[in-house]
Amino acid sequence: MTQYHTDEMPLLDVPLNREADTVTFARALGTLLRPGDVVCLWGDLGAGKSTLARALIQGQMGDDTDAPSPTFTLVQTYEAPDFDIWHFDLYRLEDPSEVLELGIEDAFAEAVSLIEWPDRLGPYMPLERLDVVISHGAGDTRELALYAPASFEARLQPLAGLLL
């Protein structure tokens, strides 16, 4: 199973004390993305992956945008003003090759890709990606860690200190 880079230090490691923190982070992240970026959302069921994706999409499209989780459709696409967004939920995939039928190669080349359950990508996992890891904390809190290759560090610097 492909995993996020746990052997590396996260670029960002912050507590999400309430859902509003997840929304704040997602909207700020959305302003820093550009076509071709792949954002892999890692976390257990109920960790907040869909909440983060929805907030990022609504930050780009407007608060009234309906952004359901693509649990059953596997992918939802959005034509945001600055770039298209493809939101994938790969939980139900049985074989990594099924992602090719969803047009994921087009998304990787032309859009921002938000991917829940990225471990299902197998050999199709891109090396140049942002890994957003959300884990359960104490009570209803969450912890967020962002792992990114050096090529993203300068661009993502505005996120540092965002929720402190």
Side-chain angles (χ1 to χ4, degrees):
M1 175 191 316
T2 306
Q3 184 77 320
Y4 56 89
H5 304 288
T6 57
D7 57 333
E8 299 175 12
M9 291 293 295
L11 176 64
L12 180 70
D13 195 356
V14 296
L16 301 173
N17 294 316
R18 52 193 204 279
E19 188 172 318
D21 292 342
T22 301
V23 171
T24 298
F25 173 81
R27 290 181 179 219
L29 176 61
T31 66
L32 304 174
L33 298 176
R34 57 184 179 225
D37 286 345
V38 177
V39 181
C40 292
L41 304 173
W42 301 86
D44 293 333
L45 284 170
K49 300 179 300 294
S50 293
T51 299
L52 190 145
R54 183 176 302 109
L56 191 150
I57 292 163
Q58 289 176 334
Q60 294 298 307
M61 301 283 299
D63 288 334
D64 60 338
T65 301
D66 184 29
S69 175
T71 302
F72 297 103
T73 59
L74 303 179
V75 63
Q76 294 281 358
T77 59
Y78 303 88
E79 294 180 17
D82 296 326
F83 46 75
D84 289 349
I85 302 169
W86 290 44
H87 180 196
F88 296 89
D89 184 329
L90 305 180
Y91 184 75
R92 297 185 317 118
L93 287 190
E94 295 184 20
D95 184 88
S97 66
E98 294 175 62
V99 299
L100 300 176
E101 297 170 26
L102 301 176
I104 203 161
E105 292 171 309
D106 292 334
F108 286 171
E110 303 168 2
V112 167
S113 301
L114 304 176
I115 305 173
E116 296 185 52
W117 304 102
D119 57 307
R120 308 299 205 271
L121 286 170
Y124 303 104
M125 176 77 73
L127 294 176
E128 285 291 313
R129 66 180 190 269
L130 304 177
D131 286 323
V132 178
V133 182
I134 306 172
S135 55
H136 292 280
D140 290 335
T141 66
R142 306 288 191 268
E143 298 290 326
L144 183 142
L146 177 67
Y147 297 85
S151 60
F152 283 94
E153 286 186 25
R155 186 164 31 124
L156 299 177
Q157 191 59 42
L159 296 174
L162 179 68
L163 299 173
L164 299 178

